[in-house]
Structures are given as structure tokens and as C-alpha cells.
Amino acid sequence: MDWTALPPLAALRAFAAFADKGAVQPAGDALNVSHAAISQQIRNLETHIGLTLLDRSGRAMVLTPEGQRLADALLEGLGGVARACDELTGRDADRPLMVSATPSFASSWLMPRLADFRAANPAVSLMIDPTADVKPVEPGGIDVALRYGSGDWPGLDAELLVTSPIAVVAATSLVGSREFDDLNDLRAFHWLQELGTNEATEWFARLGVGRNRAMGISSLPGNLMIEAARQGQGIAITARIFIEEDVAAGRLRVLFEDVRKKGYFIVTRPGVQRPPLRRFVTWLRQQGKAPPMTAG
């Protein structure tokens, strides 16, 4: 980068404030300067780069296409700087810690343990986003995602939290005690998968088994999918950690396991973590090493 070619920071700040606020007066208020100073800085910027950034032909000044492009870059870049400073200095400590997890992981693994974190960290506000969608882990948004896979998410840090193979399960009331040596035998049943995922479809495809479309697939939120499996409504694909108690109690049988994916990972952005996130990640590590919880 040629640092000497960059326009003066004061001019860039004034222009970014105008783009953010939409007018010179509120931009001046935001920077605690006069609106005339904002106008002068924007003109200085136009002179420096040799482009018209504002269309002044109407009653209200608006961004030109070139101005819009520069404004987008400035707001993204300066916004990232502001967020990083907030995180480093602790000024964003009051912002809720945003956690993304699948509904099944949130309800079956995270929620039963969360009271322990709350007791030790009463001042940390949490926002749990239970979704199967892969949400971006980005400044000002999701702080940490708890994702299932093999730990390969480019540009992000991933640390194994809990190991769990994918299990194909069904209620004894549906399949009895029969052994299924041929995967094609499972085509005779209705299938259940977590809403927002394609686990069943992908599982069939990976193993080269042709799915019986006449039997259909139901997509349900994770906790409802497991409940439907308990009731014998179909065969489900899920992480084994969610159904250990059901297997032990005889409510569900594990028909097959797929160990190619390792389990659930703590996924964060690289770099310095704000204090609430550090405490939450430390707590997650402790929980991942603790013995499995049992119903009491």
C-alpha cells in the first residue's frame, strides 16, 4: 500500500460522516465541528482525488456513483476499526454475546449447561441464535458459532468441543430388534432430518444408496426431529451425543454410525477476543472436558 497516496484522514472522516448521516449538519454534529467544516473537508477530498463525490445540483446533496463506492469502502473499513477498538478497550462489553448453534445442539447440549455459565458470569448478556443456517462470524454480529463438521472453515479458528459421530437412529417400536446389514433396507422407512439441513439426502448420496422418494423425508427443528424418532415416526440422522440417554433407555436404536465428521467445534474469528467471549470460550472448553450430563 502506498500510504503517501491516501487522502488526509480528516477529509475521509468528514466524507464518511456525511455518507453515514446523509447531510452536512448531522455529520458536523457527529464530529463536533461546523457543517461548513464538513463541506470544506469534502471539497478538499474531491480536489485531492480529482473526482466529484457529491451531486450538488438538487436541493439536497447526494452521492455520485464514485462517491457511493468510496463511501461504502470507508464505512466498512472505519466501522471495522471502530469495532476492533471497542473490543480491545472493552467499550462493547455491554453488547450481548451472540452465539450461533443448531436447534438440536442448543436444546440438547447447550441449554442444560447454560445455568452454570450464568451463575459464574451474571453480568454477561447472551443472545442464542438457534438455527441450522451457517451464520457468518463477524464483528458486531455472531461472536461464536458451535458448528458440526471436521473443523475446516477457512478464515476462522476452529477448536474441537465435543466428539460425536453421526448416528442413524430409530425407535424400537418402528424397527424392532432387526439387524440392518444392507443399507438399502432402510429405504423402506420414512426419514427425518433437521430443518435447514440435508443430512438424510447427503448421507444417502455419500454411501451410494438410492433414496426411496415414495417414503418421503420430513424436515423438523432438531428437538422435534428427535421426539418424532422416539415416537416411531421415522428414521433420523443426528449427532450421537443428542440421543445417548434414549439409546441407554431403549427408546432408540443406533442402526449405523458415520465417523467421518469429528463433532462440534467452537468457531471464532482469529485475533483478540473481547472479555465476554473469552469467558464463554473458556467455559465451553471446561464443559467439553466434563463428564456427560445425565438426567436427574
Side-chain angles (χ1 to χ4, degrees):
M1 178 183 293
D2 183 0
W3 294 99
T4 62
L6 287 175
L9 179 58
L12 292 173
R13 289 178 70 230
F15 179 67
F18 173 87
D20 183 45
K21 301 300 183 180
V24 292
Q25 186 65 57
D29 293 341
L31 293 179
N32 198 28
V33 299
S34 68
H35 71 275
I38 295 292
S39 297
Q40 184 59 47
Q41 289 286 9
I42 293 175
R43 289 190 183 278
N44 291 343
L45 180 59
E46 290 176 317
T47 300
H48 185 94
I49 63 177
L51 293 171
T52 300
L53 302 176
L54 297 183
D55 182 351
R56 300 174 174 85
S57 61
R59 296 184 60 184
M61 291 186 293
V62 296
L63 297 173
T64 63
E66 295 81 5
Q68 185 65 62
R69 181 176 177 184
L70 179 59
D72 290 343
L74 281 171
L75 292 174
E76 179 180 357
L78 294 177
V81 171
R83 287 189 295 269
C85 289
D86 286 344
E87 291 177 3
L88 290 170
T89 60
R91 284 198 298 266
D92 71 339
D94 291 336
R95 181 172 70 83
L97 186 69
M98 297 187 66
V99 182
S100 176
T102 63
S104 52
F105 190 83
S107 63
S108 299
W109 193 93
L110 184 59
M111 292 307 297
R113 294 167 168 80
L114 208 52
D116 179 79
F117 178 79
R118 295 290 305 118
N121 301 273
V124 176
S125 297
L126 291 172
M127 185 177 294
I128 310 297
D129 183 6
T131 176
D133 297 335
V134 179
K135 295 289 188 71
V137 181
E138 58 187 8
I142 298 297
D143 292 287
V144 55
L146 304 173
R147 294 182 181 172
Y148 190 84
S150 299
D152 183 19
W153 292 281
L156 297 172
D157 290 339
E159 177 182 347
L160 184 61
L161 172 61
V162 59
T163 301
S164 178
I166 283 287
V168 179
V169 301
T172 305
S173 61
L174 178 66
V175 298
S177 58
R178 173 186 172 186
E179 296 298 325
F180 292 88
D181 298 321
D182 187 343
L183 296 180
N184 281 287
D185 292 342
L186 299 178
R187 298 173 68 247
F189 298 94
H190 184 70
W191 279 74
L192 309 168
Q193 67 184 6
E194 186 165 7
L195 186 66
T197 73
N198 294 305
E199 291 286 3
T201 303
E202 293 172 357
W203 190 79
F204 274 110
R206 283 199 305 269
L207 299 181
V209 179
R211 182 166 69 83
N212 183 358
R213 297 186 179 277
M215 296 306 298
I217 289 179
S218 291
S219 296
L220 304 164
N223 55 334
L224 297 182
M225 176 194 69
I226 294 173
E227 181 58 32
R230 293 181 186 121
Q231 295 176 9
Q233 296 183 25
I235 292 178
I237 294 183
T238 184
R240 174 146 185 164
I241 57 171
F242 303 145
I243 46 85
E244 292 290 7
E245 289 186 15
D246 292 288
V247 172
R251 292 185 294 268
L252 292 175
R253 283 185 54 206
V254 176
L255 307 179
F256 293 97
E257 283 189 347
D258 188 341
V259 298
R260 282 173 289 185
K261 291 185 178 180
K262 292 183 178 180
Y264 278 88
F265 286 77
I266 304 169
V267 182
T268 56
R269 298 188 311 277
V272 177
Q273 297 177 348
R274 62 193 184 104
L277 177 57
R278 288 201 303 269
R279 290 196 287 271
F280 188 69
V281 169
T282 298
W283 174 79
L284 284 172
R285 293 184 184 122
Q286 294 168 348
Q287 294 299 311
K289 296 175 182 177
M293 296 184 69
T294 57

